[in-house]
Every structure is written in structure tokens, then in C-alpha cells.
Amino acid sequence: NVLKGALATIHSSQPHIIFETNNFADRELLWSFFRNIKYTILELPYNSEKRFKPFPLERFLKKGSTNYIAVPDSKLFARRKNT
């Protein structure tokens, strides 16, 4: 898995990660991966200037969309405190 191989970079740089998921069977693993590294999955398009609206695992598992963004919780919640 590309994401697992990039963990050191993800931890040090805390990038926003845009990803595609066509395989519904892998979505729970993706959700767990991102939650374990303290990232929140959001729908695209994403605008960092607007308030974000995360959605629950159940919706991610069933949602027909294939493109998402994962954003570090530290960036989301730091911004939310300042608005």
C-alpha cells in the first residue's frame, strides 16, 4: 500500500492527501488508516476557507463518490478554533 510506505513523510509533512477509492471493500481499511494517523476524510471539492463537514464511516462506506481528501486533524481543528 502506497500510503503505508509514505508514513514517515505523512507524519513529518502532514500533507493534504487527495485519493480515489473505487473499491468499496477497501473503504473501511482506508477510514481506519486515516483515523489511526489522525486525519479526517472529507468530500471534494474541499475549501480550507470554509467550515468543513466530516461525515461518518457509514456514509463513507456507501457514498457513490470516488474522490476524497484526507486532512490532518491538527490543521482542521486548529482552523476551527480560530474561526
Side-chain angles (χ1 to χ4, degrees):
N1 181 312
V2 174
L3 292 171
K4 288 180 182 175
L7 272 176
T9 301
I10 292 170
H11 284 300
S12 64
S13 300
Q14 293 194 324
H16 290 62
I17 301 170
I18 295 174
F19 66 98
E20 180 179 66
T21 174
N22 293 313
N23 186 346
F24 284 83
D26 290 340
R27 287 189 176 195
E28 193 162 358
L29 290 173
L30 278 167
W31 184 275
S32 294
F33 174 82
F34 283 119
R35 289 312 307 142
N36 286 336
I37 62 169
K38 297 184 178 16
Y39 269 64
T40 295
I41 296 173
L42 303 167
E43 292 182 89
L44 289 173
Y46 169 72
N47 181 342
S48 64
E49 297 300 314
K50 293 185 178 179
R51 294 182 75 76
F52 66 92
K53 186 177 180 185
F55 52 100
L57 171 61
E58 296 77 24
R59 185 168 167 210
F60 179 62
L61 293 177
K62 296 176 182 174
K63 187 80 174 158
S65 302
T66 58
N67 298 306
Y68 296 91
I69 186 167
V71 181
D73 289 352
S74 61
K75 292 181 180 179
L76 282 176
F77 298 116
R79 166 136 176 57
R80 189 176 229 186
K81 288 178 187 176
N82 295 328
T83 57

